[in-house]
């Protein structure tokens, strides 16, 4: 029980204000709540994600009857001193809440399938405080004067279709009897609270029911929630597919803007950074952000797979490999790579390498259908690549030996896989069971198709004409009962089409 006086409480409250903030006088505190127009009582429009998120929650609830599933949004992550990174909610939270953009730091979704639960799905978050509260003017994390007007419980409920409660009520929900599972990596503070609720339940001294050890679950149970929720995301519904199509359409705008600015980027120096900036501009303008750090890799940089430093110059005669995708407001992302000749025309050596990668991508697409396993996409691509490597006299063993598990020599020139699942995460469903991830393709899955060949300038085993050339072509494909659909097909990828695309943009 606290014995603090009101004065001590006020002083403690003031200490939460950043040190460099001038203390607020009593006169100011009395003055600030007065004279404001009342908040608009029109409820915000419901999010278009509601039907999809509701179906996702129904499926998850069905998988864990009689339990309480805790899915945090995550917290703001400090960049340095008192500056945070832009907030991006945890993917599992996005999938089950339907919230996107930067909503909502420190929120927690609880899906309660215990028999006595009065309501199954509840979103706990910190609602907007009234203007009489010091949060309004003094709180740089939540205050309206600092970050804008946030939602009330009723407004958030109208947006999400969820019952909403104040985050201060979360602990009571965690303490109620019944097993808990939490997405452990989303918010360490919430995970600690779940673990504390488990420890309390297991402690006879707490009077919560002796012998309840383990009755509220364990970290191993949490892992199962990760696996099941990751598996659940494999097959996209129609709304999710439309989000991914939209992400591809918007990414095309970004790619066209980069092509248009290639000559400027050559002139300015540090042209890779210019490309990154142009794409980033369109990502922020048309969507939420880039879905991952853009790779803008000119010349030999293309042979560094995750070249995100992007500080190189662009030289006419060389290629630039650009791997970039826009994440739309619902947080679904595209993942597209195109490799362009900086001067608009592929050299004969560049053509040869590009054509090999193109044919590998076509072969991969041919097996990207129901009836094949996901891993066959990679197998189909590497066989074509190995055939070309053999034709060029580079492969030290036969094609069959190279593609066998005991071989793999081709990986010197293509060390990455050809395909991953794509969705809210650029590498989606990564906690899913391995056999599910690489197993049978199902209608509704969206995967990348991204073969490449990377010949480092220092690779003495490679014919001189190829050294320093790196090519990847990456598209996003939807698995259907028939042939796969290319969600990113609006971005040309054949050699002649790419050159024509560039000419057409430069003539605009
Ligand atoms: N952009 C990362 C990848 O292609 O997987
Ligand atoms: Mn990819
Ligand atoms: Mn990519």
């Amino acid at each position: 029980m606290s014995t603090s006086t009101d004065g001590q409480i006020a002083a403690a409250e003031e200490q939460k204000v950043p040190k460099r903030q001038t203390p607020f006088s009593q006169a100011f505190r009395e003055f600030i709540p007065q004279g404001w127009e009342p908040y608009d009582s029109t409820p915000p429009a419901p999010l278009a994600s509601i039907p999809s998120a509701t179906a996702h929650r129904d499926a998850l609830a069905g998988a864990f009857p009689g339990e309480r599933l805790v899915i945090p949004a995550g917290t703001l992550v400090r960049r340095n001193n008192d500056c945070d990174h832009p907030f991006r909610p945890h993917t599992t939270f996005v999938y089950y809440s339907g919230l996107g953009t930067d909503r909502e730091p420190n929120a927690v979704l609880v899906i309660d399938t215990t028999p006595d639960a009065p309501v199954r799905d509840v979103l706990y978050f910190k609602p907007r405080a009234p203007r009489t509260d010091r949060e309004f003017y003094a709180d740089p994390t939540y205050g309206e004067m600092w970050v804008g007007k946030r939602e009330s419980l009723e407004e958030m409920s109208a947006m999400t279709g969820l019952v909403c409660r104040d985050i201060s009520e979360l602990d009571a929900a965690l303490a109620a009897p019944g097993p808990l599972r939490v997405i452990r990596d989303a918010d360490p503070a919430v995970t600690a609270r779940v673990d504390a609720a488990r420890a309390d339940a297991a402690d006879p001294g707490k009077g919560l029911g002796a012998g309840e050890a383990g009755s509220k679950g364990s970290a191993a149970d949490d892992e199962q929630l990760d696996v099941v929720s990751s598996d659940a995301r494999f097959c996209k519904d129609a709304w999710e597919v439309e989000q991914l199509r939209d992400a591809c359409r918007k990414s095309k705008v970004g790619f066209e803007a980069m092509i248009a600015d290639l000559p400027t980027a050559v002139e300015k120096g540090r042209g890779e950074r210019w490309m990154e900036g142009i794409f980033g501009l369109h990502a922020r303008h048309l969507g939420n952000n880039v879905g991952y750090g853009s790779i803008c890799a000119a010349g030999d940089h293309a042979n560094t797979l995750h070249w995100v430093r992007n500080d190189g110059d662009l030289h006419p005669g060389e290629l630039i490999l650009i791997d970039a995708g826009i994440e739309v407001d619902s947080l679904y992302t595209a993942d597209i790579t195109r490799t362009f000749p900086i001067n608009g025309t592929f050299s004969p050596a560049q053509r040869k390498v590009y054509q090999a990668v193109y044919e590998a991508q076509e072969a991969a697409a041919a097996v990207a259908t129901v009836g094949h396993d996901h891993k066959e996409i990679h197998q189909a691509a590497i066989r074509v690549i190995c055939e070309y490597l053999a034709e060029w006299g580079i492969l030290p063993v036969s094609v069959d030996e190279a593609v066998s598990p005991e071989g793999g020599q081709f990986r010197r020139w293509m060390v990455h896989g050809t395909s991953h699942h794509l969705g809210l995460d650029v590498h989606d469903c990564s906690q899913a069971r391995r056999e599910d991830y690489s197993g049978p393709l199902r209608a509704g899955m969206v995967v990348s198709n991204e073969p490449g060949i990377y010949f480092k300038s220092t690779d003495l085993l490679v014919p001189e004409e190829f050294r320093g050339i790196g090519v990847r072509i990456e598209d996003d494909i939807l698995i259907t009962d028939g042939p796969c659909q290319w969600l990113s097909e609006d971005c040309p990828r054949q050699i002649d089409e790419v050159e024509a695309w560039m000419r057409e943009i430069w003539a605009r």
Side-chain angles (χ1 to χ4, degrees):
M1 169 89 53
S2 166
T3 55
S4 301
T5 63
D6 284 355
Q8 283 171 317
I9 293 168
E13 282 289 291
E14 280 302 338
Q15 277 172 13
K16 288 192 209 152
V17 171
K19 282 203 186 69
R20 59 190 176 78
Q21 199 174 71
T22 310
F24 295 100
S25 69
Q26 187 59 29
F28 173 83
R29 287 189 227 168
E30 285 167 15
F31 175 60
I32 190 70
Q34 300 169 31
W36 303 101
E37 208 173 79
Y39 289 116
D40 184 355
S41 59
T42 320
L47 293 168
S49 57
I50 289 179
S52 180
T54 305
H56 298 159
R57 288 194 298 275
D58 290 347
L60 192 68
F64 294 103
E67 303 200 20
R68 206 168 284 115
L69 312 174
V70 181
I71 305 174
T75 58
L76 285 157
V77 176
R78 194 53 56 93
R79 182 180 184 277
N80 62 307
N81 187 22
D82 55 356
C83 299
D84 295 319
H85 285 284
F87 180 70
R88 202 278 190 186
H90 192 278
T91 287
T92 313
F93 177 84
V94 176
Y95 188 70
Y96 291 111
S97 70
L99 283 167
T101 61
D102 56 355
R103 287 198 163 87
E104 179 62 36
N106 304 314
V108 180
L109 173 68
V110 177
I111 300 177
D112 185 345
T113 62
T114 58
D116 298 330
V119 45
R120 195 190 70 183
D121 306 336
V122 178
L123 180 64
Y124 295 88
F125 78 106
K126 188 166 171 22
R128 179 179 71 234
R131 286 164 175 145
T132 46
D133 193 290
R134 61 188 301 287
E135 172 191 303
F136 176 57
Y137 55 87
D139 188 330
T141 305
Y142 290 109
E144 182 173 333
M145 283 200 155
W146 296 83
V147 295
K149 182 167 83 71
R150 293 177 317 103
E151 280 76 29
S152 65
L153 291 176
E154 297 73 23
E155 288 163 353
M156 186 63 95
S157 193
M159 271 170 61
T160 59
L162 286 159
V163 170
C164 293
R165 298 206 180 123
D166 194 294
I167 190 71
S168 62
E169 297 179 38
L170 177 66
D171 280 338
L174 300 182
L180 290 170
R181 294 186 201 248
V182 62
I183 298 291
R184 291 192 79 82
D185 68 341
D187 183 337
V190 174
T191 302
R193 285 154 76 180
V194 168
D195 287 343
R198 287 170 170 160
D200 283 353
D203 181 353
K206 299 270 180 178
L208 298 175
E212 271 210 283
S215 68
K216 288 184 88 67
S218 64
D221 299 322
D222 296 338
E223 199 180 322
Q224 191 58 16
L225 178 60
D226 251 345
V227 171
V228 170
S229 59
S230 212
D231 260 52
R233 298 208 310 272
F234 275 136
C235 291
K236 276 66 182 174
D237 63 30
W239 180 80
E240 292 179 279
V241 171
E242 182 45 37
Q243 298 308 297
L244 287 162
R245 274 189 208 286
D246 193 34
C248 289
R249 273 194 295 266
K250 288 176 167 151
S251 299
K252 185 193 178 194
V253 176
F255 270 90
E256 294 207 331
M258 288 190 288
I259 294 172
D261 254 32
L262 262 176
T264 308
V266 170
E267 251 175 54
K268 281 187 176 290
R270 298 235 300 177
E272 293 177 344
R273 226 23 105 75
W274 192 262
M275 293 289 100
E276 177 189 337
I278 294 291
F279 193 82
L281 163 70
H282 290 277
R284 286 294 283 163
H285 184 233
L286 297 173
N288 184 60
N289 210 331
V290 289
Y292 52 91
S294 303
I295 297 166
C296 302
D300 198 38
H301 288 161
N303 299 312
T304 301
L305 296 177
H306 286 168
W307 178 258
V308 290
R309 190 177 297 149
N310 298 342
D311 63 353
D313 294 333
L314 310 193
H315 300 289
E318 292 185 339
L319 300 174
I320 180 165
L321 180 160
I322 301 181
D323 182 342
I326 290 183
E327 173 188 81
V328 292
D329 284 348
S330 58
L331 303 184
Y332 288 82
T333 188
D335 181 12
I336 299 173
T337 307
R338 289 293 180 267
T339 306
F340 301 106
I342 290 168
N343 64 7
T345 308
F346 289 95
S347 72
Q350 290 164 353
R351 274 182 169 254
K352 283 185 214 166
V353 179
Y354 193 103
Q355 185 62 22
V357 176
Y358 175 82
E359 287 174 25
Q361 200 193 26
E362 288 286 292
V367 295
T369 66
V370 172
H372 291 275
D373 282 354
H374 183 214
K375 58 175 176 287
E376 290 177 60
I377 293 179
H378 181 57
Q379 289 162 352
I382 60 171
R383 178 161 284 279
V384 173
I385 284 170
C386 284
E387 281 162 1
Y388 271 100
L389 294 173
E391 187 182 314
W392 295 329
I394 305 173
L395 203 60
V397 295
S398 71
V399 170
D400 283 339
E401 207 176 327
V403 300
S404 74
E406 296 72 36
Q409 292 81 351
F410 70 89
R411 297 178 79 178
R412 180 180 174 118
W413 302 291
M414 180 182 154
V415 76
H416 62 75
T418 304
S419 183
H420 55 78
H421 286 266
L422 180 72
L424 286 167
D425 286 337
V426 63
H427 298 155
D428 213 29
C429 313
S430 58
Q431 308 299 314
R433 285 175 280 259
R434 177 176 264 274
E435 60 273 24
D436 294 338
Y437 194 94
S438 51
L441 290 167
R442 289 181 263 151
M445 287 178 160
V446 176
V447 299
S448 70
N449 179 1
E450 51 175 310
I453 295 179
Y454 310 91
F455 290 138
K456 285 185 178 294
S457 61
T458 49
D459 192 336
L460 302 180
L461 300 189
V462 166
E464 217 168 328
E465 60 164 347
F466 289 159
R467 288 183 205 160
I469 293 177
V471 174
R472 178 163 66 255
I473 314 173
E474 177 173 24
D475 285 86
D476 304 336
I477 56 180
L478 168 67
I479 307 301
T480 72
D481 290 323
C484 66
Q485 283 180 25
W486 296 67
L487 302 182
S488 44
E489 68 187 345
D490 289 349
C491 292
R493 61 195 173 90
Q494 286 183 36
I495 291 175
D496 294 342
E497 287 177 4
V498 169
E499 289 182 351
W501 190 26
M502 297 178 77
R503 274 198 304 277
E504 188 264 309
I505 290 169
W506 287 345
R508 280 180 195 169

